[in-house]
Amino acid sequence: MKLVHTIKEVRTQVKEWKKQGLTVGFVPTMGFLHEGHESLIKKAVEENDKVVVSIFVNPIQFGPNEDLEKYPRDLDKDSKLCQGAGAELIFNPEPAEMYVNHAATFVEVEELTNGLCGEKRPGHFRGVCTVVSKLFNIVNPDRAYFGEKDAQQLAVIKKMVNDLNLDIEIIGCPIIREEDGLAKSSRNTYLSAEEREAALVLSRALNKAKEHLFSGEKDASKIKEVITSEINTEKLAKIDYVEIVDSEILKPVNSMDSSSLIAIAVYIGKTRLIDNFTWRIS
Ligand code: AMP
């Protein structure tokens, strides 16, 4: 496995593979990798001849008061995880490699970014879509893998790829959780022992919602109430949002149907965590 830092090195390697007729899978990440990222890499390895992982903490997707500076980083550990999972190339650029001075071109997906994290984190998806477009242009993959953990991001990237006629298949991968139910996240590392315990309220609230769904409750406002009151039992938790939307267009729904997404964002102390559940009935 190779670790490279420049766009030129990625292009040279990928061109070489493409000349040999090999397919390329791509997993974009911000590093500090865990089993959630690993599951994406392993799926990409299964489905492609070669796999590229990018590790880049993208400054333009962080708001002014967010955690860009303290975002956790560990390139050695990440390299080992990528190698173990079967990736062939890590692209780890410096911000200056990705952003020339005075860049004036950004990619913005409208409507789908109006609610949920898009509403709470202005500019976030503009930053995500811009960097993902740039990475797609650099890596030129056949397939790219994204976690359902970031359900809005997955829907937005699918829409962007469709709208811009990018010839890349976007594959969503299930949420990987800790044994006690907490969705794995690089940001879990910010939690103190007490907050780590409190963070279980996210998956617990979603599980309560599931119980109500499975016993026939279809009213979205009732399901939201179940979630809200469960989260409010935890004194370290502060709700950022609890929403039920259509999983593709991300517009709020009144009644649960075959593809409703329950998405929540909750502060545990100062750490903002997200989780979700998609109600799929075939
Ligand atoms: P990040 O490094 O947080 O930007 O995440 C990179 C990719 O890994 C995104 O597509 C995330 O949705 C995905 N991811 C992060 N956490 C998980 C998880 N617990 N399960 C599945 N995918 C995940």
Side-chain angles (χ1 to χ4, degrees), residues 28-31 34 36-37 40 71 146-147 149-150 153 174-176 184:
T29 80
M30 296 208 299
H34 49 66
H37 301 106
L40 271 55
Y71 197 84
F146 291 84
K149 157 97 188 331
D150 298 271
Q153 171 172 278
I175 302 176
I176 304 295
K184 290 197 183 252

Coordinates of all heavy atoms in Angstrom, one line a residue, residues 28-31 34 36-37 40 71 146-147 149-150 153 174-176 184, ligand 1:
P28 N -13.8 8.3 0.6 CA -13.4 9.6 1.2 C -13.6 9.6 2.7 O -14.7 9.3 3.2 CB -14.2 10.6 0.5 CG -15.3 9.9 -0.2 CD -15.1 8.4 -0.1
T29 N -12.6 10.0 3.5 CA -12.7 10.1 4.9 C -12.0 11.4 5.5 O -11.2 11.9 4.7 CB -12.1 8.9 5.7 OG1 -10.7 9.1 5.8 CG2 -12.4 7.6 5.0
M30 N -12.2 11.6 6.7 CA -11.5 12.7 7.4 C -10.5 12.1 8.4 O -9.9 12.8 9.2 CB -12.4 13.7 8.1 CG -13.3 14.4 7.2 SD -13.8 16.0 7.8 CE -14.7 15.6 9.3
G31 N -10.3 10.7 8.3 CA -9.3 10.1 9.1 C -9.7 9.8 10.5 O -10.9 9.8 10.8
H34 N -12.1 4.2 12.1 CA -12.6 3.2 13.0 C -13.3 2.1 12.2 O -13.3 2.1 11.0 CB -13.6 3.8 14.1 CG -14.6 4.7 13.4 ND1 -15.6 4.2 12.6 CD2 -14.8 6.0 13.5 CE1 -16.4 5.2 12.2 NE2 -15.9 6.4 12.7
G36 N -16.3 1.7 11.3 CA -17.3 2.2 10.4 C -16.6 2.5 9.0 O -17.0 2.0 8.0
H37 N -15.5 3.2 9.1 CA -14.7 3.5 7.9 C -14.2 2.1 7.3 O -14.2 1.9 6.1 CB -13.5 4.3 8.2 CG -13.8 5.7 8.8 ND1 -13.6 5.9 10.1 CD2 -14.2 6.8 8.2 CE1 -13.9 7.2 10.4 NE2 -14.3 7.7 9.3
L40 N -16.5 0.3 5.1 CA -16.6 0.9 3.7 C -15.4 0.4 2.9 O -15.6 0.1 1.7 CB -16.6 2.5 3.8 CG -17.9 3.2 4.0 CD1 -18.7 2.8 5.2 CD2 -17.6 4.7 4.1
Y71 N -10.0 18.5 15.7 CA -10.5 17.2 15.1 C -9.3 16.2 15.2 O -8.2 16.5 14.9 CB -10.8 17.4 13.6 CG -11.7 16.3 13.1 CD1 -13.1 16.2 13.3 CD2 -11.1 15.2 12.4 CE1 -13.8 15.2 12.9 CE2 -11.8 14.1 12.0 CZ -13.2 14.1 12.2 OH -14.0 13.0 11.8
F146 N -20.0 5.5 0.9 CA -20.4 6.5 1.9 C -21.2 5.8 3.0 O -22.0 4.9 2.6 CB -21.2 7.7 1.3 CG -20.4 8.5 0.4 CD1 -20.2 8.2 -0.9 CD2 -19.7 9.7 0.9 CE1 -19.4 9.0 -1.7 CE2 -19.0 10.5 0.1 CZ -18.8 10.2 -1.2
G147 N -21.1 6.2 4.2 CA -21.8 5.6 5.3 C -23.2 6.1 5.4 O -23.5 7.3 5.3
K149 N -24.5 6.4 8.2 CA -24.4 7.2 9.4 C -24.7 8.6 9.1 O -25.3 9.3 9.9 CB -23.0 7.0 10.0 CG -22.5 8.0 10.9 CD -22.8 7.6 12.3 CE -22.5 8.7 13.4 NZ -21.5 9.7 13.0
D150 N -24.1 9.1 8.0 CA -24.3 10.5 7.5 C -25.4 10.5 6.4 O -25.1 10.6 5.2 CB -23.0 11.1 7.0 CG -22.0 11.2 8.1 OD1 -21.9 12.1 8.8 OD2 -21.3 10.2 8.3
Q153 N -25.8 13.4 4.1 CA -24.6 13.5 3.2 C -24.8 12.5 2.0 O -24.5 12.9 0.9 CB -23.4 13.2 4.0 CG -22.1 13.1 3.1 CD -20.9 13.0 4.0 OE1 -20.3 14.0 4.4 NE2 -20.4 11.8 4.2
P174 N -24.2 0.3 5.7 CA -24.9 0.4 7.0 C -24.1 1.0 8.1 O -22.8 1.0 8.1 CB -25.3 -1.0 7.3 CG -24.6 -1.9 6.3 CD -24.1 -1.0 5.2
I175 N -24.8 1.6 9.1 CA -24.1 2.2 10.3 C -23.5 1.1 11.1 O -24.1 0.1 11.4 CB -25.1 2.9 11.1 CG1 -25.9 4.0 10.4 CG2 -24.5 3.5 12.4 CD1 -27.0 4.7 11.1
I176 N -22.2 1.3 11.4 CA -21.5 0.3 12.3 C -21.6 1.0 13.8 O -21.3 2.1 13.9 CB -20.0 0.1 11.9 CG1 -20.0 -0.4 10.5 CG2 -19.3 -0.9 12.9 CD1 -20.6 -1.8 10.2
K184 N -20.5 4.4 15.8 CA -19.1 4.7 15.8 C -18.9 6.0 15.1 O -19.5 6.3 14.1 CB -18.3 3.6 15.1 CG -18.3 2.4 15.9 CD -17.2 1.4 15.5 CE -17.2 0.1 16.3 NZ -16.2 0.0 17.3
Ligands
AMP1 P1 -15.8 10.9 8.2 O1 -14.4 10.5 8.3 O2 -16.5 11.1 9.5 O3 -16.0 12.0 7.2 O4 -16.5 9.7 7.5 C1 -16.1 9.1 6.3 C2 -17.1 8.1 5.8 O5 -17.3 7.1 6.8 C3 -18.5 8.8 5.6 O6 -19.1 8.2 4.4 C4 -19.3 8.3 6.8 O7 -20.6 8.2 6.6 C5 -18.7 6.9 7.1 N1 -18.9 6.5 8.5 C6 -18.5 7.2 9.6 N2 -18.9 6.6 10.7 C7 -19.6 5.5 10.3 C8 -20.2 4.4 10.9 N3 -20.3 4.3 12.2 N4 -20.8 3.4 10.2 C9 -20.7 3.5 8.8 N5 -20.1 4.4 8.1 C10 -19.5 5.4 8.8

